[in-house]
Amino acid sequence: MTTTSQASLDALALHLRRAWSQWTCDPVDQIGWSKQNPASGQCASTALIVQDVLGGELLVADVTNADGSRNGVHYWNRLSDGREVDLTRDQFRSGELIGSARQVGRPTDVTRGRLPGNYHLLGARLARVLARQDRADLDRPVTVKAVCADETGRVLLCRNHRDEWELPGGRPHPGELFQDSVVREVREETGLVVEVDRLIAVLELEVVPDGWVDVVGYVCVGPEPGTT
């Protein structure tokens, strides 16, 4: 059994804190997210990243407000040596109470579900922090893109305002699931209705000189003619 040092845990916590953003947290918390409370809404994606790096188990517990009403759930980690690691607990600042922990299994497919885009975006941002710690480029915009191919392999493209061909998509709204953003953007840009299948990649793209965005791409099925 390999024991993770406290220094390694502290370093991982620092790097993750730098990587957190409005777009890496759970959509239900995005509207209220701020740099003054960067851990807000980050627990699910962070716990998966910690497991990716250090192994161990995922823990979850119900969260209640000070008045006893249900607030949601909270995720953290138990390492193989038995230590519990919770890098996002300091998000709770209004008397919330965290209930008893229970172990939960890791999702079998981390490209589908509510939060694959947020989780993979956090992983990409963490990798960028580790590789380029001297660059302050983490506040860049996020855009979602749809990869829609027909039975012949043709891929749906649109012309943007720079008169360039690109995949349909655009910026998500705060509080909107990335998958819902993809469906909305494709419909707005093309009048077509698609269904999101799975996340395919998170990439960084220089759209104009020194103008970078994080692109969260999804494979979609369809399109079928929609109504406008």
Side-chain angles (χ1 to χ4, degrees), residues 42-62:
Q42 308 288 345
C43 66
S45 294
T46 296
L48 286 174
I49 294 290
V50 171
Q51 188 181 51
D52 290 339
V53 176
L54 302 177
E57 303 165 339
L58 297 174
L59 301 177
V60 67
D62 294 326

Side-chain angles (χ1 to χ4, degrees), residues 2 14 32 51 67 78-79 89 92 112 118 126 139-140 149 156 159 162 174 184-185 194-195 199-200 205 212 224 227:
T2 301
L14 177 63
Q51 188 181 51
D67 62 4
R78 181 188 291 131
L79 303 186
R89 186 172 290 255
F92 300 111
R112 293 179 170 89
N118 311 86
L126 176 62
D139 289 329
R140 61 178 55 161
L156 179 65
R159 279 198 181 275
R162 297 184 298 274
R184 174 180 56 77
E185 288 286 345
V194 298
E195 180 180 342
L199 181 138
I200 188 172
L205 179 66
W212 292 82
E224 297 293 338
T227 57

Side-chain angles (χ1 to χ4, degrees), residues 7-146:
S8 296
L9 284 175
D10 291 344
L12 179 60
L14 177 63
H15 296 323
L16 279 165
R17 184 168 292 269
R18 289 189 61 200
W20 289 336
S21 74
Q22 180 183 34
W23 303 112
T24 62
C25 76
D26 192 303
V28 300
D29 299 299
Q30 286 174 356
I31 294 176
W33 185 87
S34 71
K35 293 182 179 180
Q36 288 68 47
N37 187 7
S40 177
Q42 308 288 345
C43 66
S45 294
T46 296
L48 286 174
I49 294 290
V50 171
Q51 188 181 51
D52 290 339
V53 176
L54 302 177
E57 303 165 339
L58 297 174
L59 301 177
V60 67
D62 294 326
V63 179
T64 56
N65 296 311
D67 62 4
S69 60
R70 190 173 186 275
N71 180 280
V73 296
H74 180 59
Y75 291 88
W76 68 101
N77 302 80
R78 181 188 291 131
L79 303 186
S80 57
D81 61 9
R83 284 180 295 168
E84 293 189 9
V85 174
D86 189 347
L87 302 185
T88 61
R89 186 172 290 255
D90 66 349
Q91 70 182 286
F92 300 111
R93 301 178 179 182
S94 301
E96 299 97 334
L97 300 175
I98 301 173
S100 300
R102 57 188 185 275
Q103 185 179 341
V104 62
R106 184 181 179 88
T108 56
D109 186 350
V110 292
T111 68
R112 293 179 170 89
R114 286 187 69 250
L115 301 177
N118 311 86
Y119 156 64
H120 286 279
L121 177 62
L122 178 59
R125 289 170 61 90
L126 176 62
R128 196 157 69 237
V129 168
L130 294 173
R132 291 178 278 179
Q133 296 182 33
D134 59 332
R135 287 184 56 179
D137 62 351
L138 290 174
D139 289 329
R140 61 178 55 161
V142 172
T143 184
V144 295
K145 293 293 183 180

